[in-house]
Amino acid sequence: MKKLHIAISTDKIDQTVADYSNRLGSDPCLIIPGEYALWRTDSLNVSIRQDSSSNSGLLRHLGWEDAEAAEFTQDVDVNGIVWERFSASHQAMEINELWPEVGYQP
C-alpha cells in the first residue's frame, strides 16, 4: 500500500501541530519538541519540520511511503519538486539518525 507523503516547513511548530492535528483528525505519532512532527494516517504520511534553511509554510518535498520500497530513493520532477519513495522503516531510520534519542519505531 502507498501513502502520499507531504513534508512542510514551519517556523510555528507548536501552532502547526495543533492545526494539523485538527485538520487530520488525529495527533501526530511522533513529536520532537520544537523541531518535528509526523502523522501516519490510513492514506497520508505528513511531516512538519522547523527548518531555518526553508521558508515557513513551504513544501519541503513530496513522496510515497511504500511498503514495497526496497530502498530509500529520491528524484526531482519537471517542476523541481523533490519526490521521495521509502518504507516506514526507512523513514524511521532517517528520523533516528537525525534524533537518535527518540528511538522511533513505526
Side-chain angles (χ1 to χ4, degrees):
M1 176 177 168
K2 289 184 180 180
K3 295 181 185 186
L4 180 63
H5 172 62
I6 304 168
I8 299 169
S9 179
T10 184
D11 63 359
K12 302 173 187 84
I13 191 95
D14 294 332
Q15 296 96 321
T16 305
V17 167
D19 184 21
Y20 283 38
S21 293
N22 184 52
R23 291 177 188 278
L24 295 169
S26 67
D27 291 330
C29 61
L30 174 66
I31 295 177
I32 299 170
E35 296 187 62
Y36 181 84
L38 173 66
W39 291 261
R40 293 180 72 234
T41 72
D42 290 340
S43 58
L44 290 173
N45 176 311
V46 178
S47 66
I48 58 168
R49 186 167 178 189
Q50 190 146 320
D51 182 356
S52 61
S53 69
S54 181
N55 291 333
S56 182
L58 294 183
L59 179 69
R60 294 180 59 238
H61 59 266
L62 293 170
W64 296 105
E65 177 189 324
D66 184 352
E68 296 183 15
E71 61 185 355
F72 176 92
T73 60
Q74 186 178 68
D75 65 358
V76 178
D77 73 11
V78 298
N79 297 299
I81 298 171
V82 174
W83 281 80
E84 299 178 342
R85 183 172 176 255
F86 55 87
S87 67
S89 61
H90 295 127
Q91 187 175 36
M93 285 189 305
E94 181 181 43
I95 289 167
N96 291 322
E97 285 175 8
L98 290 169
W99 300 284
E101 69 281 2
V102 173
Y104 173 68
Q105 296 295 316

